[in-house]
Structure formats: structure tokens, C-alpha cells
Amino acid sequence: MDSYLYFIYTLIYIGILIFSLNQKKIDSYFSRRSFIYLVIVGLIVDNAIVAIGRFIGEGALLENLNYLRYWSHAFLTPTLVLYCIGALEGSKYISIRKTALYGATLITVLLIVVEVQTELINLMLQPQWEFGVLRYVPIETSSGPPIMILIVTLILLLTGVLLWIFDKWVWLLVGASLMTIGSIVSFPIDSGAITNGFEVILIIFLMLTKQHLERDLYT
């Protein structure tokens, strides 16, 4: 069952990416908000590899593809910080100073470095079957969520709060809150793909936020 869910998630991300890129103005592709495209590409890679794992079977090929999952996650997910500063830049009522832009860039780089140092340098994977899905997972698992995920989540929530207060746009906060709840709450469902479903919801709201902020700029 989960394999089909991951296939569906992959197709949804591809659809979101194609729909969003099919815009009338090329200018909008080059804002910091467009870092969301990199995150979506990473999620396409992640979900597609998990979806096809059972068809590839255990072995070096699937193991290396799963290493790609973890490395792409480490380098692409932190760019959500740059998306957030881009979202605040798109607000009519929030003024962003250059120091904030430099700070967001520095935080992004530091999060990538921290993720590589703490999660990837000594990463060793082993095959795992769960709910009909075959993937490779770390042999040694951490006791809690990675520091990178915690910080990115906090920045998403803070950005959502600011856009809600100043722009009366609540949907980024809703998406980030649902993602947080989905990561914390244990649902009585025999599936390991539930959290990935909340990621889809988050991306939809992030993309809606991008389009909302750019509607007045590029129409």
C-alpha cells in the first residue's frame, strides 16, 4: 500500500512543479522564493526512490540510490530558509534589511554543514522492509529529529506568523503547523507514509504562498 502512496506523492510533486513553472512571467523564477523548486526536486527524488525500492530489490544499486536520498535532503531542505526570507521580501508590509539576507544565507550554509557532519559523514545504511516498502535506513538512528529539521521548522513557523500578522496571509503558518503536528503525533494507521503526506500539504501551502506574494508583482 505504501509503495503506491509514494508513487502518488511523486506524481503530485511533479504536477506542482510543472504547474508552478508554467507561469507567464520568467522574472518570478529568480526570486529567493524559487528555492522551493529545489526542495520539490529533492522530494521527487526521495519519494520516487522509496516507491521503486521493492521493484529494484536489495543490493548496491538501491543502497546507493538511498544514499542519494539522504545527501539531497541535506543539501536541499535547508534552502527553505532562503525561501522564507524570500517570502518576507515579497510582503508589502515587511522591510527586509541586507543583514537579514546575509543571515539567512549563513544559516542555510551552517545547516547544510551541520547535517553533513552529524548525519552523513559516518552514515551506514541497512535494508528495511516496512509496510510493503523496501528502503535503506541508517544502522544507527538518532533519538530525535535532526537539528537541521528543527531549525527549518521553527523558521517556517516564524515566517508564517509574520505573514499572518502583517499580510493577513495565514496559509504558510497553517501548512507549517500541520507539518509539525504530523511529525509529532503518532497516528494509529498501519503506514509509514503519513508524514510524507503532511510534507505534500506543506509544499502545497508554500507554493500557494509564493503565488500569492507574486500575484501583484507579476500581473
Side-chain angles (χ1 to χ4, degrees):
M1 176 62 181
D2 273 11
S3 279
Y4 300 110
L5 286 176
Y6 287 112
F7 272 120
I8 292 171
Y9 295 156
T10 302
L11 293 175
I12 291 174
Y13 285 129
I14 292 173
I16 292 172
L17 190 62
I18 293 173
F19 178 79
S20 181
L21 289 173
N22 186 27
Q23 297 187 29
K24 295 180 180 179
K25 294 291 185 178
I26 196 71
D27 311 49
S28 62
Y29 300 157
F30 299 100
S31 72
R32 290 178 181 84
R33 294 175 291 277
S34 293
F35 277 101
I36 188 65
Y37 297 141
L38 291 180
V39 177
I40 293 175
V41 169
L43 288 168
I44 291 172
V45 170
D46 183 82
N47 284 272
I49 291 172
V50 175
I52 64 176
R54 63 181 298 175
F55 303 104
I56 296 176
E58 294 184 22
L61 174 58
L62 184 59
E63 183 177 6
N64 288 329
L65 286 173
N66 276 266
Y67 275 113
L68 174 62
R69 285 178 55 227
Y70 287 101
W71 280 91
S72 63
H73 172 71
F75 278 87
L76 299 181
T77 302
T79 62
L80 282 173
V81 176
L82 297 174
Y83 165 88
C84 286
I85 202 70
L88 295 178
E89 281 183 301
S91 168
K92 295 180 180 178
Y93 310 103
I94 301 174
S95 178
I96 299 298
R97 298 181 179 181
K98 285 188 177 181
T99 52
L101 301 178
Y102 298 148
T105 303
L106 178 61
I107 290 172
T108 301
V109 173
L110 288 177
L111 288 177
I112 293 172
V113 171
V114 168
E115 184 72 3
V116 170
Q117 289 290 333
T118 60
E119 303 292 331
L120 298 182
I121 290 297
N122 298 312
L123 180 63
M124 298 292 291
L125 300 178
Q126 62 183 354
Q128 179 192 72
W129 279 96
E130 184 180 38
F131 303 115
V133 168
L134 173 62
R135 75 183 99 192
Y136 277 73
V137 299
I139 294 176
E140 296 183 5
T141 58
S142 56
S143 57
I147 295 174
M148 183 268 284
I149 293 297
L150 290 175
I151 294 177
V152 168
T153 301
L154 288 173
I155 292 174
L156 283 169
L157 290 169
L158 176 58
T159 303
V161 169
L162 292 174
L163 290 178
W164 180 27
I165 292 173
F166 291 99
D167 281 61
K168 309 306 178 187
W169 178 261
V170 72
W171 297 110
L172 193 155
L173 178 60
V174 170
S177 299
L178 288 174
M179 179 68 244
T180 303
I181 293 170
S183 301
I184 296 174
V185 177
S186 178
F187 295 93
I189 302 174
D190 291 334
S191 172
I194 298 301
T195 300
N196 295 68
F198 282 98
E199 289 177 350
V200 172
I201 294 172
L202 172 64
I203 292 300
I204 291 173
F205 282 120
L206 294 182
M207 194 58 73
L208 288 174
T209 299
K210 180 181 187 295
Q211 293 177 348
H212 166 74
L213 294 169
E214 294 175 354
R215 187 171 294 121
D216 294 335
L217 293 174
Y218 302 112
T219 55

